[in-house]
Amino acid sequence: MKSLKRIALVAFTLGLFVSCSSVQVVSDYDKQADFNTYRSYAFYKTGIDKAQISDLDKKRILRAIETELASRGFVKSDNPDVLISIFTKERERVDVYNNYGWGWGGFYNPYVWGPGWGWGWGNNVSTRTEGSLYIDVIDANKKELVWQGRGVGTLSNTKSIEKKEERIQEFVSQILKEYPPQTAVAVN
């Protein structure tokens, strides 16, 4: 019985870590934009300066974007086809899990020890920080938003710089998987 409880606990813990590490992504785009013509980019400093995160995290996000765009053949330019901007949102989530039901187990009192049936209930409360990262692609000539991707996921409060950078890279990578929009590329 103890090994069954341990297996269940390990499975629950792994499921919790997997669910917390995922990034949920949505994107939207202008159907009139010709994404095949965009090959160079620059960062839109005015928009990036408004992002309410530390300058160090901004640098990490921008480096991750540079890496992703370079892997797709984009080049950084003083005369870009598109401007890249970011902004972020953060909120605390409180999760309450109500646990109740019947169970079987051992009990102890000073006079008798033995197996027994019983029931009980309890609440588990946890808080976590959920963050959203938006990446905007703006047509540099028209000064119009042509694509926006948003990633939402749990942020870890880790002291490890390496883990923080990995999480930021994961966010950026998952968001930019949606760029360019597949239906837009297939149409052109």
Side-chain angles (χ1 to χ4, degrees), residues 1-12 104:
M1 190 65 148
K2 280 186 176 185
S3 64
L4 184 60
K5 285 182 182 180
R6 283 185 186 167
I7 291 171
L9 180 62
V10 169
F12 174 76
W104 182 86

Side-chain angles (χ1 to χ4, degrees), residues 14-183:
L14 288 174
L16 185 63
F17 282 121
V18 169
S19 68
C20 290
S21 69
S22 67
V23 178
Q24 298 150 359
V25 176
V26 294
S27 65
D28 195 7
Y29 65 96
D30 179 353
K31 290 173 86 174
Q32 304 300 316
D34 185 1
F35 291 91
N36 292 318
T37 63
Y38 302 142
R39 289 279 151 247
S40 61
Y41 73 97
F43 289 114
Y44 184 58
K45 184 172 174 14
T46 305
I48 293 168
D49 286 345
K50 292 178 184 177
Q52 296 181 351
I53 54 174
S54 76
D55 287 342
L56 291 171
D57 283 340
K58 283 180 193 177
K59 285 181 188 178
R60 290 179 182 109
I61 292 169
L62 298 180
R63 273 186 253 150
I65 291 171
E66 284 178 341
T67 300
E68 286 295 319
L69 292 178
S71 73
R72 297 159 186 253
F74 277 80
V75 293
K76 208 169 181 182
S77 171
D78 292 331
N79 187 22
D81 299 324
V82 293
L83 300 170
I84 307 294
S85 187
I86 63 167
F87 65 96
T88 59
K89 288 184 181 178
E90 182 178 290
R91 71 179 183 146
E92 289 294 317
R93 284 197 58 165
V94 177
D95 298 316
V96 179
Y97 304 99
N98 294 318
N99 302 317
Y100 59 90
W102 290 90
W104 182 86
F107 65 89
Y108 171 79
N109 74 34
Y111 305 105
V112 180
W113 187 93
W117 287 92
W119 65 276
W121 65 89
N123 292 326
N124 292 325
V125 178
S126 67
T127 60
R128 58 190 164 115
T129 303
E130 185 175 83
S132 298
L133 171 62
Y134 292 79
I135 300 176
D136 293 343
V137 177
I138 303 162
D139 185 298
N141 294 325
K142 297 178 185 177
K143 304 292 189 238
E144 294 178 353
L145 181 67
V146 293
W147 184 87
Q148 182 178 68
R150 178 186 70 173
V152 178
T154 303
L155 304 174
S156 58
N157 295 325
T158 180
K159 292 181 180 182
S160 168
I161 300 301
E162 291 79 19
K163 287 186 180 187
K164 183 184 268 193
E165 287 177 349
E166 285 174 20
R167 186 66 173 150
I168 288 172
Q169 182 65 48
E170 179 184 9
F171 258 79
V172 170
S173 176
Q174 293 295 317
I175 295 168
L176 288 178
K177 275 185 182 178
E178 301 288 319
Y179 183 87
Q182 298 304 313
T183 55

